[in-house]
Amino acid sequence: MDTDRAVALAREDVDAGVGRWLPATADLEIDLSGPVGDSAFIAVRWVHRGTNTGADDPFLGLAPTGDLVEVHGVTLVEDCGDAEPVFHRFVDWVGVFDQLGMAVGGRLTVSEHPGQIGSPPDA
């Protein structure tokens, strides 16, 4: 697969995916980072700029902010020969959440902890 086709495919993929939540306000910025590994993979680095209008399909059900949001990502376009190409997408969703005022929380998974309910008391 040539790099121009990989860039065009990645552009369509990002427009269809991210663009449905954040309609683009300007042309999608695509930076080609070049072949990765062997000729079966081409990495396309991209930035999608859109306005959180909420439109018909709000992002995660969030009320529209009207803010401009930048979504950064990389798409690995895998050439599968005669079959359709496969996209391996890596998107900075935490950056999007931050721009929309959303908090991301979590905790470590621990199988055993001395203070865990049901743990035997210390002798």
Side-chain angles (χ1 to χ4, degrees), residues 109-120:
T109 302
V110 179
S111 59
E112 290 187 29
H113 185 274
Q116 185 175 3
I117 295 175
S119 295

Side-chain angles (χ1 to χ4, degrees), residues 44-114:
V44 181
R45 188 173 40 140
W46 52 265
V47 177
H48 175 89
R49 292 180 181 86
T51 303
N52 182 18
T53 59
D56 298 324
D57 186 11
F59 181 73
L60 297 177
L62 181 71
T65 62
D67 293 340
L68 179 66
V69 178
E70 279 193 4
V71 184
H72 295 255
V74 174
T75 300
L76 294 177
V77 182
E78 181 179 2
D79 185 353
C80 296
D82 293 336
E84 290 294 316
V86 173
F87 299 106
H88 304 273
R89 303 171 193 95
F90 302 89
V91 182
D92 178 15
W93 290 117
V94 172
V96 173
F97 297 161
D98 182 55
Q99 292 173 70
L100 294 175
M102 300 170 71
V104 178
R107 65 177 186 83
L108 295 175
T109 302
V110 179
S111 59
E112 290 187 29
H113 185 274

Side-chain angles (χ1 to χ4, degrees), residues 33-43 76-77:
S33 62
V36 173
D38 56 38
S39 61
F41 291 92
I42 296 176
L76 294 177
V77 182

